[in-house]
Amino acid sequence: MANLEVIEHDDAGNITVTYVESTNDQGNARVDLVRPLQTKSLLQRTLGVFLPAGYPHSVTNDYFEYQVYDSLQAFSSSIAGLLSSRAVLSSVGVGDATASPTAALLLSVVEQSVGRVITILFAYRFGTSLEPECKMYRLLADVLNDFAFVLDCLSPAFPKPLRVLVLTFAGVLRALCGVAAGSSKASLSAHFAKWGNLGELNAKDSSQETVISLLGMLVGSQVVTYVTSPMPTWTTLMLLLAVHLETNRRAVRAVRAVSMRTLNRQRAGIIYHHLRGGHVPSPEEVAHTEWIFDWDGVMRRADGSLLGHCTVGASISDLLSSIASTHSSTKSTTLGSISLTKLLLPFATKKYILWYEPRIIGRQLEVSIALKQGAECIDIIAAWWHAIAMSETVTALSTGNAEDEGGFSVLEKTMRDVDQLLQKHRKPLEDLGWDLKTGALETRSGRRLDVRKL
């Protein structure tokens, strides 16, 4: 009789062999091997070369759909790249007996040099926002790249002196595309990797891109051979770019594929409004209402309309300026009837401080959030929710402004509401897969406050 069974699985969870131990009437043990009748097909083995080990268990559910669209956009981009490369070769003088190879080389040097300087400035200015807004920058990268393709194809129509500027600008756009695409893709890969297999996932992604690029060049070689006149060239290019942008939009569009689990400002606001309505949303639900492009620091109401603007990581001078706008025209440590000590008092146990500027005709509410030393992601989420709650309450007032005591009563009441909301729903949010420990709400390098009593 059988008394022990050991089942062996591969990385994907498929049963490879089963060991069954049994004993006979004399008490002798015997181990039998039972192999499944079904084996992997040739297609499954081929796909296994390009998919992460343990697929589909080792990646998130949105991985496959994203990769399908990503492959389609890479295919169309490869063909469009050949058309633009032909135009660039024509611009630098291929086929022109008067053209100089040295001039073409110097043009390439200028183009790459300017592009590298711009990438340094871009990384300095937008580096901290690349991860929180990775889907936006992933799509923006391809918009920049497509614009560069268009400039390349336009370059032969310009006089030679202007071609240098056009091609240099196209090179700058491609360089910006490289930074934005590389950084945002790294964030997306970290999102997809469930088993800590980020390195292997990136390696398999490179394998996929290699095959798609080879196929694109193969098909593109036929395209550039038969499409030579201007009108068919532009028609083909526009069609390819339309496919490229649409597949990119579908790849990163939350409705279609990627459901991020970290909370950036937009997702944090959407979750807040869901929780106020008594519903704890999943990452997939939030993805259905998330925008790809949105202004930095924008706060929105539940219906998506503009509520105001909030700065995270503000300095204490920004808070004092907000108080001055609310209560008087004098800027000092004692402004109107509010002292700095009185402002800090409600936030004694918090890792943040916030205040607002009043709503004026034709202008939305401006909120400034200053973070204290040791502020963690959950503290910044609470601060962002507090900013939304206070903005909704203040803008609901008939005058759009509040007196000293009224302003502080709104501040303290909304703080209590947010604390209760976060305490009640923090575990349900984490149970649904939300990552409340990874910071994604700061899009710029901010300051930290160290409050001390003297």
Side-chain angles (χ1 to χ4, degrees), residues 52 58-63 66-67 130-132 134 138 181-203 205 258-262 433 435 438-439:
S58 60
V59 293
T60 56
N61 295 331
D62 47 15
Y63 172 79
Y66 173 83
Q67 290 302 124
L130 289 172
E131 183 172 0
C134 60
R138 182 67 189 90
S183 302
S184 57
K185 210 164 189 180
S187 298
L188 290 171
S189 297
H191 159 73
F192 292 134
K194 288 173 61 178
W195 290 1
N197 53 337
L198 180 59
E200 191 223 359
L201 191 144
N202 284 329
D205 186 64
V258 182
S259 303
M260 301 298 291
R261 298 180 181 273
T262 55
D435 182 1
T438 302

Side-chain angles (χ1 to χ4, degrees), residues 109-335:
V109 171
V110 170
E111 179 182 326
Q112 293 186 35
S113 299
V114 174
R116 291 177 182 181
V117 171
I118 294 297
T119 56
I120 294 173
L121 298 176
F122 180 83
Y124 170 74
R125 176 61 181 81
F126 299 102
T128 53
S129 63
L130 289 172
E131 183 172 0
E133 304 296 341
C134 60
K135 292 203 287 187
M136 180 187 76
Y137 283 104
R138 182 67 189 90
L139 182 58
L140 178 63
D142 287 291
V143 172
L144 296 174
N145 193 43
D146 288 353
F147 193 18
F149 286 157
V150 173
L151 290 179
D152 286 340
C153 291
L154 283 173
S155 59
F158 288 93
K160 287 186 178 180
L162 288 179
R163 288 181 194 175
V164 176
L165 296 177
V166 173
L167 292 175
T168 301
F169 187 53
V172 167
L173 294 178
R174 266 190 294 272
L176 293 177
C177 167
V179 176
S183 302
S184 57
K185 210 164 189 180
S187 298
L188 290 171
S189 297
H191 159 73
F192 292 134
K194 288 173 61 178
W195 290 1
N197 53 337
L198 180 59
E200 191 223 359
L201 191 144
N202 284 329
K204 293 296 179 68
D205 186 64
S206 297
S207 298
Q208 296 171 24
E209 288 186 355
T210 299
V211 173
I212 296 300
S213 296
L214 288 173
L215 292 175
M217 286 189 290
L218 178 63
V219 175
S221 299
Q222 300 299 315
V223 172
V224 296
T225 301
Y226 292 102
V227 179
T228 55
S229 56
M231 184 58 69
T233 298
W234 279 103
T235 302
T236 305
L237 180 67
M238 291 297 106
L239 179 61
L240 289 170
L241 296 186
V243 172
H244 182 228
L245 289 178
E246 177 59 19
T247 49
N248 263 292
R249 186 191 70 82
R250 288 176 178 267
V252 300
R253 180 72 174 101
V255 168
R256 299 293 303 178
V258 182
S259 303
M260 301 298 291
R261 298 180 181 273
T262 55
L263 269 64
N264 64 2
R265 301 180 184 191
Q266 185 181 176
R267 288 190 286 273
I270 294 172
I271 291 174
Y272 169 77
H273 292 301
H274 274 283
L275 296 181
R276 286 292 302 271
H279 172 64
V280 182
S282 66
E284 292 74 21
E285 289 178 271
V286 172
H288 278 72
T289 56
E290 186 180 359
W291 296 16
I292 296 179
F293 291 102
D294 201 7
W295 294 105
D296 185 31
V298 165
M299 297 183 294
R300 296 188 180 276
R301 298 181 177 86
D303 61 1
S305 60
L306 187 63
L307 176 63
H309 183 274
C310 181
T311 301
V312 179
S315 67
I316 199 69
S317 61
D318 295 325
L319 294 176
L320 295 177
S321 178
S322 298
I323 300 174
S325 300
T326 308
H327 296 275
S328 71
S329 59
T330 307
K331 186 183 296 185
S332 64
T333 54
T334 302
L335 299 163

Side-chain angles (χ1 to χ4, degrees), residues 289-411:
T289 56
E290 186 180 359
W291 296 16
I292 296 179
F293 291 102
D294 201 7
W295 294 105
D296 185 31
V298 165
M299 297 183 294
R300 296 188 180 276
R301 298 181 177 86
D303 61 1
S305 60
L306 187 63
L307 176 63
H309 183 274
C310 181
T311 301
V312 179
S315 67
I316 199 69
S317 61
D318 295 325
L319 294 176
L320 295 177
S321 178
S322 298
I323 300 174
S325 300
T326 308
H327 296 275
S328 71
S329 59
T330 307
K331 186 183 296 185
S332 64
T333 54
T334 302
L335 299 163
S337 57
I338 294 185
S339 65
L340 182 58
T341 301
K342 186 172 183 179
L343 174 64
L344 296 178
L345 187 60
F347 300 97
T349 60
K350 300 295 179 183
K351 291 295 185 180
Y352 68 90
I353 308 166
L354 66 80
W355 194 253
Y356 64 95
E357 290 184 26
R359 182 179 62 178
I360 314 172
I361 297 176
R363 186 181 174 192
Q364 301 296 327
L365 205 68
E366 297 283 338
V367 181
S368 297
I369 296 176
L371 300 173
K372 297 182 182 179
Q373 289 283 1
E376 299 178 350
C377 179
I378 195 66
D379 300 309
I380 305 176
I381 293 173
W384 186 259
W385 287 1
H386 191 182
I388 295 175
M390 191 174 70
S391 298
E392 287 183 325
T393 304
V394 171
T395 53
L397 300 177
S398 58
T399 60
N401 197 352
E403 295 300 327
D404 182 1
E405 296 302 325
F408 271 91
S409 65
V410 169
L411 183 75

